[in-house]
Amino acid sequence: MKFMVEVRIRLKKGMLNPEASTIERALALLGYEVENTDTIDIITFTMNEESPEDVRREVEDMCQRLLCNPVIHDYEFSITEMEG
Amino acid sequence: MKFMVEVRIRLKKGMLNPEASTIERALALLGYEVENTDTIDIITFTMNEESPEDVRREVEDMCQRLLCNPVIHDYEFSITEMEG
């Protein structure tokens, strides 16, 4: 079966996010007042596996080993079965 | 009223995405077979405006002027009214 995976990665609460601060400051310079700016990275891909449980195990592994830095990142992912 | 805005930015279809290719290759080296890897950037922030329409107009403006490069990016955003 083919699955669509979306991994959502963000800095843990309390970590400095210079990218977000820069965006907020740049928006302010253009006259837009926004607050609580934050950034999230999303990685999507497809996988062929026997079951959603297999996908879940593999993706959890990938996050720990490569996609995220568990020291500074929180992550969550969604798995959707694709038709065909 | 206070609104939560989430802007989703991705490269247009057909644009090379070196970040995604690198992730896919690195995953392959670790033994994970994934396909159609893609990356999406999300920016979230809150805004105080009179109405959702005002927010929509402002955010559309921000995307065109600063957040996205309309030549290479597709973007979409969602607006949610916050309680309180």
Side-chain angles (χ1 to χ4, degrees):
Chain A
M1 285 187 291
K2 198 165 183 176
F3 295 92
M4 179 68 173
V5 180
E6 178 171 310
V7 184
R8 239 176 129 90
I9 304 164
R10 72 195 311 163
L11 285 169
K12 278 185 199 288
K13 275 241 179 307
M15 299 288 302
L16 281 183
N17 186 340
E19 186 185 10
S21 331
T22 306
I23 292 169
E24 193 165 315
R25 219 163 33 236
L27 284 173
L29 287 173
L30 291 176
Y32 304 107
E33 272 179 50
V34 309
E35 291 177 317
N36 307 308
T37 308
D38 202 1
T39 57
I40 305 172
D41 285 332
I42 291 194
I43 304 168
T44 62
F45 50 82
T46 60
M47 283 184 83
N48 287 301
E49 289 289 343
E50 295 295 305
S51 72
E53 290 70 38
D54 289 347
V55 180
R56 185 167 303 283
R57 211 185 37 243
E58 290 262 290
V59 176
E60 183 65 44
D61 240 42
M62 292 179 205
C63 287
Q64 292 285 341
R65 294 180 64 192
L66 179 79
L67 302 180
C68 314
N69 177 345
V71 178
I72 60 170
H73 291 138
D74 279 332
Y75 61 88
E76 57 191 18
F77 53 84
S78 65
I79 297 169
T80 322
E81 195 178 329
M82 296 171 81
E83 285 171 40
Chain B
M1 287 186 291
K2 198 166 183 177
F3 296 91
M4 179 68 173
V5 180
E6 177 171 310
V7 184
R8 236 176 132 90
I9 305 163
R10 72 194 312 164
L11 285 170
K12 278 186 199 289
K13 274 242 179 307
M15 299 287 301
L16 281 183
N17 186 339
E19 186 184 11
S21 330
T22 306
I23 292 169
E24 193 164 313
R25 219 162 34 234
L27 285 173
L29 287 174
L30 291 176
Y32 304 106
E33 272 179 49
V34 309
E35 292 176 317
N36 308 307
T37 308
D38 202 2
T39 58
I40 305 171
D41 285 333
I42 291 194
I43 303 169
T44 62
F45 49 82
T46 60
M47 283 184 84
N48 287 300
E49 289 289 343
E50 294 295 305
S51 72
E53 289 70 37
D54 289 348
V55 181
R56 184 168 302 283
R57 211 184 39 243
E58 290 263 289
V59 176
E60 183 65 43
D61 240 41
M62 292 179 206
C63 287
Q64 292 284 340
R65 293 181 64 192
L66 179 80
L67 302 180
C68 313
N69 177 345
V71 178
I72 59 170
H73 291 138
D74 279 332
Y75 61 87
E76 56 192 17
F77 53 84
S78 64
I79 297 169
T80 322
E81 194 178 332
M82 295 171 80
E83 284 172 39

